[in-house]
Coordinates of all heavy atoms in Angstrom, one line a residue:
P80 N 24.3 19.4 -21.0 CA 25.2 20.2 -21.8 C 26.6 20.4 -21.1 O 26.7 20.3 -19.9 CB 24.5 21.5 -22.0 CG 23.6 21.6 -20.9 CD 23.2 20.2 -20.5
A81 N 27.6 20.6 -22.0 CA 28.9 20.9 -21.5 C 28.9 22.2 -20.7 O 28.1 23.1 -21.0 CB 29.9 21.0 -22.7
S82 N 29.7 22.2 -19.7 CA 29.8 23.5 -18.9 C 31.2 24.0 -19.0 O 32.1 23.3 -19.4 CB 29.5 23.2 -17.4 OG 30.4 22.2 -16.9
G83 N 31.3 25.3 -18.7 CA 32.6 25.9 -18.9 C 33.0 26.3 -20.3 O 32.2 26.1 -21.2
R84 N 34.1 26.9 -20.5 CA 34.5 27.3 -21.8 C 35.5 26.4 -22.5 O 35.7 26.6 -23.7 CB 35.1 28.7 -21.7 CG 34.1 29.8 -21.3 CD 34.7 31.1 -21.4 NE 34.9 31.6 -20.1 CZ 35.8 32.5 -19.7 NH1 36.7 32.9 -20.5 NH2 35.9 32.9 -18.4
G85 N 36.0 25.4 -21.8 CA 37.0 24.6 -22.4 C 38.3 25.3 -22.5 O 38.5 26.3 -22.0
I86 N 39.2 24.7 -23.3 CA 40.5 25.4 -23.6 C 40.7 25.4 -25.1 O 39.9 24.8 -25.9 CB 41.6 24.6 -22.9 CG1 41.7 23.2 -23.4 CG2 41.5 24.7 -21.4 CD1 42.8 22.4 -22.8
V87 N 41.7 26.1 -25.5 CA 41.9 26.3 -27.0 C 42.0 25.0 -27.7 O 41.4 24.8 -28.8 CB 43.2 27.2 -27.2 CG1 43.5 27.3 -28.7 CG2 43.0 28.6 -26.6
A88 N 42.7 24.0 -27.1 CA 42.9 22.8 -27.8 C 41.7 21.8 -27.6 O 41.8 20.7 -28.2 CB 44.2 22.1 -27.2
R89 N 40.7 22.1 -26.8 CA 39.7 21.2 -26.6 C 38.3 21.9 -26.4 O 38.3 22.9 -25.7 CB 40.0 20.4 -25.3 CG 39.1 19.2 -25.1 CD 39.6 18.4 -23.9 NE 39.1 19.1 -22.8 CZ 39.5 18.9 -21.5 NH1 40.5 18.1 -21.3 NH2 39.0 19.5 -20.5
V90 N 37.3 21.3 -27.0 CA 36.0 21.9 -26.8 C 35.5 21.6 -25.4 O 36.0 20.6 -24.7 CB 35.0 21.3 -27.8 CG1 35.4 21.7 -29.2 CG2 34.8 19.8 -27.7
P91 N 34.5 22.3 -24.9 CA 34.0 22.0 -23.5 C 33.4 20.6 -23.5 O 32.9 20.1 -24.5 CB 32.9 23.1 -23.4 CG 33.2 24.2 -24.3 CD 33.9 23.5 -25.5
R92 N 33.4 20.1 -22.3 CA 32.9 18.7 -22.1 C 31.9 18.8 -21.0 O 31.9 19.6 -20.1 CB 34.0 17.8 -21.6 CG 35.1 17.6 -22.7 CD 36.2 16.7 -22.1 NE 37.2 16.3 -23.0 CZ 38.0 15.3 -22.9 NH1 38.0 14.6 -21.8 NH2 38.9 15.1 -23.8
S93 N 31.0 17.8 -21.0 CA 30.0 17.7 -19.9 C 30.7 17.1 -18.7 O 31.8 16.6 -18.8 CB 28.9 16.8 -20.4 OG 29.3 15.4 -20.5
H94 N 30.0 17.1 -17.6 CA 30.6 16.6 -16.3 C 31.0 15.1 -16.5 O 32.1 14.7 -16.1 CB 29.6 16.7 -15.2 CG 30.2 16.3 -13.9 ND1 30.1 15.1 -13.4 CD2 31.0 17.0 -13.0 CE1 30.7 15.0 -12.2 NE2 31.2 16.2 -11.9
W95 N 30.1 14.3 -17.1 CA 30.5 12.9 -17.2 C 31.7 12.6 -18.1 O 32.5 11.8 -17.9 CB 29.2 12.0 -17.6 CG 29.0 11.9 -19.1 CD1 28.1 12.6 -19.9 CD2 29.6 11.0 -20.0 NE1 28.2 12.3 -21.2 CE2 29.1 11.3 -21.3 CE3 30.6 10.0 -19.9 CZ2 29.5 10.6 -22.4 CZ3 31.0 9.3 -21.0 CH2 30.5 9.6 -22.3
Q96 N 31.8 13.4 -19.2 CA 32.9 13.3 -20.1 C 34.2 13.7 -19.3 O 35.2 13.0 -19.5 CB 32.8 14.2 -21.3 CG 31.7 13.6 -22.2 CD 31.3 14.6 -23.3 OE1 31.4 15.8 -23.1 NE2 31.0 14.1 -24.5
E97 N 34.2 14.7 -18.6 CA 35.4 15.1 -17.8 C 35.7 14.1 -16.8 O 36.9 13.8 -16.5 CB 35.1 16.5 -17.1 CG 35.2 17.7 -17.9 CD 36.6 18.0 -18.4 OE1 37.6 17.6 -17.7 OE2 36.7 18.6 -19.5
T98 N 34.7 13.4 -16.2 CA 35.0 12.5 -15.1 C 35.3 11.1 -15.6 O 36.2 10.4 -15.0 CB 33.8 12.5 -14.2 OG1 33.4 13.8 -13.8 CG2 34.0 11.7 -12.9
Y99 N 34.6 10.6 -16.6 CA 34.7 9.2 -17.0 C 35.2 8.9 -18.4 O 35.6 7.7 -18.6 CB 33.3 8.5 -16.8 CG 32.8 8.7 -15.4 CD1 31.8 9.5 -15.0 CD2 33.4 7.9 -14.3 CE1 31.4 9.7 -13.7 CE2 33.0 8.0 -13.0 CZ 31.9 8.9 -12.7 OH 31.5 9.0 -11.4
A100 N 35.1 9.8 -19.3 CA 35.4 9.5 -20.7 C 36.9 9.3 -21.1 O 37.2 8.8 -22.1 CB 34.7 10.5 -21.6
G101 N 37.8 9.8 -20.3 CA 39.2 9.7 -20.6 C 39.6 10.9 -21.5 O 38.8 11.7 -22.0
P102 N 40.9 11.1 -21.6 CA 41.4 12.3 -22.3 C 41.0 12.5 -23.7 O 40.8 13.6 -24.3 CB 42.9 12.2 -22.1 CG 43.2 10.9 -21.7 CD 42.0 10.3 -21.1
S103 N 40.8 11.3 -24.4 CA 40.4 11.4 -25.8 C 39.0 11.0 -26.0 O 38.6 10.6 -27.2 CB 41.3 10.4 -26.6 OG 42.7 10.8 -26.4
L104 N 38.2 11.0 -25.0 CA 36.8 10.6 -25.0 C 36.6 9.1 -25.6 O 35.7 8.8 -26.2 CB 35.9 11.5 -25.9 CG 35.9 13.0 -25.4 CD1 35.1 13.8 -26.4 CD2 35.2 13.1 -24.1
E105 N 37.6 8.3 -25.2 CA 37.6 6.9 -25.7 C 36.6 6.0 -24.9 O 36.3 4.9 -25.4 CB 39.0 6.3 -25.6 CG 39.6 6.1 -24.2 CD 40.4 7.3 -23.7 OE1 40.3 8.4 -24.3 OE2 41.0 7.1 -22.7
R106 N 36.2 6.4 -23.8 CA 35.3 5.5 -23.0 C 33.8 6.0 -23.1 O 33.6 7.2 -23.1 CB 35.7 5.5 -21.6 CG 36.9 4.7 -21.4 CD 37.2 4.6 -19.9 NE 38.5 4.9 -19.7 CZ 39.2 5.8 -19.2 NH1 38.9 6.5 -18.5 NH2 40.4 6.1 -19.1
A107 N 32.9 5.1 -23.2 CA 31.5 5.4 -23.3 C 30.9 5.8 -21.9 O 31.6 5.6 -20.9 CB 30.7 4.2 -23.8
F108 N 29.7 6.3 -21.9 CA 29.0 6.6 -20.7 C 29.0 5.4 -19.8 O 28.6 4.3 -20.3 CB 27.6 7.1 -21.0 CG 26.8 7.6 -19.8 CD1 27.1 8.8 -19.2 CD2 25.8 6.8 -19.3 CE1 26.4 9.2 -18.1 CE2 25.1 7.2 -18.2 CZ 25.4 8.4 -17.6
P109 N 29.3 5.5 -18.5 CA 29.2 4.3 -17.6 C 27.8 3.8 -17.5 O 26.9 4.5 -17.3 CB 29.7 4.9 -16.3 CG 30.4 6.2 -16.6 CD 29.8 6.7 -17.9
P110 N 27.7 2.5 -17.7 CA 26.3 1.9 -17.6 C 25.8 1.9 -16.2 O 26.6 1.7 -15.3 CB 26.5 0.5 -18.1 CG 27.9 0.2 -17.8 CD 28.7 1.5 -18.0
P111 N 24.6 2.2 -16.0 CA 24.0 2.0 -14.6 C 23.7 0.5 -14.4 O 23.0 -0.1 -15.2 CB 22.8 2.9 -14.6 CG 22.4 3.1 -16.0 CD 23.6 2.8 -16.8
L112 N 24.2 0.0 -13.3 CA 23.9 -1.4 -13.0 C 23.0 -1.4 -11.7 O 23.4 -0.9 -10.7 CB 25.2 -2.2 -12.7 CG 26.3 -2.2 -13.7 CD1 27.6 -2.9 -13.2 CD2 25.8 -2.8 -15.0
F113 N 21.8 -1.9 -11.9 CA 20.9 -2.0 -10.7 C 20.9 -3.4 -10.2 O 20.7 -4.4 -10.9 CB 19.5 -1.6 -11.1 CG 19.4 -0.1 -11.4 CD1 19.4 0.3 -12.7 CD2 19.3 0.8 -10.4 CE1 19.3 1.7 -13.0 CE2 19.2 2.1 -10.6 CZ 19.2 2.6 -11.9
L114 N 21.2 -3.6 -8.9 CA 21.2 -4.9 -8.3 C 20.0 -4.9 -7.3 O 19.9 -4.0 -6.5 CB 22.5 -5.1 -7.6 CG 23.8 -4.9 -8.5 CD1 25.0 -4.9 -7.6 CD2 23.8 -6.0 -9.5
F115 N 19.2 -5.9 -7.4 CA 18.1 -6.0 -6.5 C 18.3 -7.0 -5.5 O 18.3 -8.2 -5.7 CB 16.8 -6.3 -7.4 CG 16.5 -5.2 -8.3 CD1 16.9 -5.3 -9.6 CD2 15.8 -4.1 -7.9 CE1 16.7 -4.3 -10.6 CE2 15.5 -3.1 -8.8 CZ 15.9 -3.2 -10.2
A116 N 18.6 -6.5 -4.3 CA 18.9 -7.4 -3.1 C 17.6 -7.8 -2.5 O 16.6 -7.1 -2.6 CB 19.7 -6.6 -2.1
P117 N 17.6 -9.0 -1.9 CA 16.3 -9.5 -1.3 C 15.9 -8.6 -0.2 O 16.8 -8.0 0.5 CB 16.7 -10.9 -0.8 CG 18.1 -11.0 -0.8 CD 18.7 -10.0 -1.8
G118 N 14.6 -8.5 0.1 CA 14.1 -7.7 1.2 C 14.5 -8.3 2.5 O 15.0 -9.4 2.6
P119 N 14.2 -7.5 3.6 CA 14.5 -8.0 4.9 C 13.7 -9.3 5.2 O 12.6 -9.4 4.8 CB 14.1 -6.9 5.8 CG 13.2 -6.0 5.0 CD 13.6 -6.2 3.6
S120 N 14.4 -10.2 5.9 CA 13.7 -11.5 6.2 C 13.1 -11.4 7.6 O 13.6 -10.8 8.5 CB 14.8 -12.6 6.3 OG 14.3 -13.7 6.8
P121 N 11.9 -12.0 7.7 CA 11.3 -12.1 9.1 C 12.1 -12.9 10.0 O 11.9 -12.8 11.2 CB 9.9 -12.7 8.8 CG 10.1 -13.5 7.5 CD 11.1 -12.7 6.7
C122 N 13.1 -13.6 9.5 CA 14.0 -14.4 10.4 C 15.1 -13.6 11.0 O 15.8 -14.0 11.8 CB 14.6 -15.6 9.6 SG 13.3 -16.7 8.9
G123 N 15.3 -12.4 10.4 CA 16.5 -11.6 10.8 C 16.2 -10.7 12.0 O 15.3 -10.9 12.8
P124 N 17.1 -9.7 12.2 CA 17.0 -8.8 13.3 C 15.6 -8.2 13.4 O 14.9 -7.9 12.4 CB 18.0 -7.7 13.0 CG 19.0 -8.3 12.1 CD 18.2 -9.3 11.3
G125 N 15.1 -8.0 14.6 CA 13.8 -7.4 14.8 C 12.8 -8.5 15.1 O 11.6 -8.2 15.5
N126 N 13.1 -9.7 15.0 CA 12.2 -10.8 15.3 C 12.4 -11.0 16.8 O 13.2 -11.9 17.3 CB 12.5 -12.1 14.6 CG 11.6 -13.2 15.0 OD1 10.6 -13.0 15.5 ND2 12.0 -14.5 14.7
E127 N 11.7 -10.3 17.6 CA 11.8 -10.3 19.1 C 11.1 -11.5 19.6 O 10.2 -12.1 19.0 CB 11.2 -9.0 19.7 CG 11.8 -7.8 19.1 CD 13.3 -7.6 19.2 OE1 13.8 -8.2 20.2 OE2 13.9 -7.0 18.4
G128 N 11.5 -11.9 20.8 CA 10.8 -13.0 21.5 C 11.6 -14.4 21.3 O 11.3 -15.3 22.0
G129 N 12.5 -14.4 20.4 CA 13.3 -15.6 20.3 C 12.6 -16.8 19.6 O 13.2 -17.9 19.5
R130 N 11.4 -16.6 19.1 CA 10.7 -17.7 18.4 C 10.6 -17.4 16.9 O 10.5 -16.2 16.5 CB 9.3 -17.9 19.0 CG 9.3 -18.4 20.4 CD 8.0 -18.8 20.9 NE 7.1 -17.6 20.8 CZ 5.8 -17.7 21.0 NH1 5.2 -18.8 21.2 NH2 5.0 -16.6 20.9
L131 N 10.8 -18.4 16.1 CA 10.7 -18.2 14.7 C 9.2 -18.3 14.3 O 8.5 -19.3 14.6 CB 11.5 -19.3 14.0 CG 13.0 -19.3 14.2 CD1 13.6 -20.5 13.5 CD2 13.6 -18.0 13.7

Side-chain angles (χ1 to χ4, degrees):
S82 59
R84 290 189 251 149
I86 58 175
V87 174
R89 191 177 79 197
V90 297
R92 296 177 174 197
S93 67
H94 185 269
W95 86 261
Q96 290 170 325
E97 282 292 334
T98 308
Y99 301 107
S103 304
L104 299 176
E105 67 270 12
R106 287 185 229 114
F108 183 77
L112 306 176
F113 289 101
L114 307 169
F115 297 95
S120 169
C122 301
N126 178 19
E127 305 303 329
R130 293 190 298 169
L131 295 175

